[in-house]
Amino acid sequence: MKLLTANFLSCAVKACKSSPLSFPLHFKDAELASKSVPYNPILLSNLLPRLDWPALVTSSSELGFTLPQQKPEITPFTPTSSEDGDAVMSGAGEEDEKTLRMLHKVLMETEVVEGKMVCGSCGFEYGIHQTVANFLLPSHLV
Amino acid sequence: MSRPEDNLPPDLYYNDTESLKYTTSSRVQAIQATMTNRALELLSLTTPSLILDIGCGSGLSGEILSESDPPHTWIGMDISSSMLAVALDREVDGDLLLGDMGQGLPFRAGSFDAAISISAIQWLCNEDEKGVDPKTRLSRFFDSLYASLKRDGKAVCQFYPRDDKQRDMICSAAIKAGFGAGLLEDDPETKNKKLYLVLTVGGEGNR
Ligand SMILES: [Zn+2]
């Protein structure tokens, strides 16, 4: 379970759909690992507007690291070419580059290998095993 | 030709042996690659996107998303833990979830730029083990898919309906959820014919 994914997941239990407490799910007993993934700055800047920043701050603190309280801003840019991935960002400012690298590390490369995600509304625990979260619900909760 | 859908539920059908057999078959790999590339073409994404892969299995389609131009990031969901175990072994880049699309997708609104599904959604037409009927499962799936896509988002689902009735049932569930829906058939009138359901959020169908 990556923090990226966690930022989009909410409790699947039917009774929780309208509860603001069902997002984000809260990490418990998490074991972390780091996995190297290709850096994709354009994707990150596309994602930034739809990240729920307070939720990301909460998730991060549950995993033991601190993010700025405010969502960082980056200068919107237009890709000069879709073919040269990394090179596209070379024109971006140093601050933006730092922000994007930080986001990459947090969202894409930090993984919860074992642990649980717990709903703040109903208390249901979604187990995480070998990085895979189990969202299969008992049928009476669907 | 026997259809796996007619025998066992997918989490039981794709056990460890079947999952590995499926993933390592070069014929399956080639067909999956063709269909994934076609789905990507139909999505026509011009910038790196966040894509949901529904019924991602062992990550055959996901790998193509990671390596495409532009490269995409994907989150995969599958009901078979054996298939996901093969995906983990193959060290795919996508994040993986164990889940049943017939229970609905557990994502908040507007999460994804796009979604793909290769050879999976016909499974929704089976009752689950608790006897939940296909109509209910289809509407849970399409309603939650619609919500989890961004406005102007798109989904392409390649699927194998058993017959015209099943095809129509799937299409009408998608339309009922609010999608603009179009059906596209490649290699019609052959035994390799492939059917794609092309879904748009807040758009007109192109049927
Ligand atoms: Zn809940």
Side-chain angles (χ1 to χ4, degrees), chain A:
Chain A
M1 171 62 48
K2 300 183 192 205
L3 279 174
L4 169 76
T5 311
N7 202 255
F8 294 114
L9 280 170
S10 69
C11 183
V13 170
K14 192 174 186 192
C16 287
K17 295 243 161 84
S18 55
S19 165
L21 294 173
S22 65
F23 175 82
L25 299 169
H26 299 288
F27 286 112
K28 228 175 100 181
D29 308 329
E31 281 172 39
L32 296 184
S34 170
K35 177 181 171 183
S36 167
V37 174
Y39 176 55
N40 192 338
I42 308 175
L43 176 87
L44 290 164
S45 64
N46 286 350
L47 279 175
L48 191 57
R50 77 188 104 142
L51 287 179
D52 187 309
W53 195 259
L56 189 61
V57 172
T58 302
S59 301
S60 299
S61 77
E62 287 163 359
L63 300 180
F65 52 98
T66 314
L67 290 182
Q69 289 297 315
Q70 292 292 322
K71 189 189 271 203
E73 282 180 26
I74 57 165
T75 325
F77 62 94
T78 36
T80 48
S81 157
S82 61
E83 274 135 56
D84 52 358
D86 276 26
V88 171
M89 284 312 291
S90 59
E94 224 168 275
E95 276 308 303
D96 286 354
E97 174 72 14
K98 245 171 84 183
T99 301
L100 290 167
R101 290 279 174 188
M102 180 272 286
L103 286 173
H104 176 66
K105 205 161 181 46
V106 172
L107 293 170
M108 305 290 179
E109 298 201 317
T110 307
E111 278 195 323
V112 176
V113 182
E114 300 286 329
K116 288 174 195 132
M117 299 175 93
V118 185
C119 174
S121 165
C122 70
F124 191 85
E125 297 190 340
Y126 298 90
I128 301 169
H129 182 50
Q130 291 187 322
T131 73
V132 178
N134 181 353
F135 271 78
L136 289 171
L137 285 178
S139 56
H140 68 280
L141 295 177
V142 176

Side-chain angles (χ1 to χ4, degrees), chain B:
Chain B
M1 191 175 76
S2 94
R3 290 162 40 88
E5 296 82 6
D6 295 338
N7 299 312
L8 282 169
D11 47 336
L12 297 180
Y13 181 79
Y14 290 113
N15 58 21
D16 293 352
T17 323
E18 283 298 327
S19 297
L20 205 59
K21 220 161 76 183
Y22 184 87
T23 309
T24 51
S25 152
S26 56
R27 189 184 62 89
V28 169
Q29 281 180 7
I31 298 174
Q32 288 276 321
T34 307
M35 297 189 299
T36 307
N37 282 316
R38 180 66 160 138
L40 257 179
E41 184 186 308
L42 292 166
L43 287 175
S44 52
L45 301 164
T46 52
T47 138
S49 302
L50 182 64
I51 303 180
L52 174 65
D53 186 346
I54 303 142
C56 64
S58 53
L60 290 174
S61 45
E63 267 175 345
I64 290 174
L65 302 179
S66 304
E67 286 159 16
S68 80
D69 178 23
H72 303 296
T73 294
W74 56 280
I75 295 173
M77 185 165 130
D78 205 279
I79 196 173
S80 161
S81 52
S82 301
M83 277 290 197
L84 295 175
V86 178
L88 286 176
D89 278 350
R90 299 171 68 242
E91 299 188 341
V92 295
D93 282 338
D95 208 7
L96 305 170
L97 293 179
L98 180 64
D100 176 1
M101 57 181 160
Q103 292 189 337
L105 305 170
F107 300 101
R108 64 179 170 91
S111 298
F112 298 97
D113 297 293
I116 67 160
S117 178
I118 304 297
S119 315
I121 62 169
Q122 70 275 0
W123 287 100
L124 286 165
C125 297
N126 296 11
E127 262 182 25
D128 72 4
E129 67 278 17
K130 299 282 181 214
V132 177
D133 67 288
K135 271 219 166 98
T136 305
R137 291 172 53 75
L138 281 164
S139 73
R140 279 182 197 149
F141 168 67
F142 283 115
D143 290 353
S144 59
L145 177 62
Y146 187 88
S148 68
L149 290 170
K150 282 175 67 178
R151 194 178 304 194
D152 77 9
K154 236 172 162 184
V156 175
C157 306
Q158 177 276 328
F159 68 115
Y160 293 115
R162 188 207 327 255
D163 48 31
D164 290 357
K165 198 176 143 222
Q166 204 171 74
R167 181 198 64 199
D168 293 346
M169 181 163 79
I170 288 174
C171 291
S172 56
I175 291 164
K176 213 170 152 208
F179 282 110
L183 267 180
L184 189 133
E185 195 173 71
D186 280 352
D187 306 319
E189 315 301 326
T190 74
K191 71 174 179 17
N192 294 321
K193 79 170 180 186
K194 297 170 198 81
L195 203 56
Y196 299 83
L197 180 59
V198 181
L199 302 173
T200 47
V201 174
E204 286 300 303
N206 45 5
R207 192 167 183 170

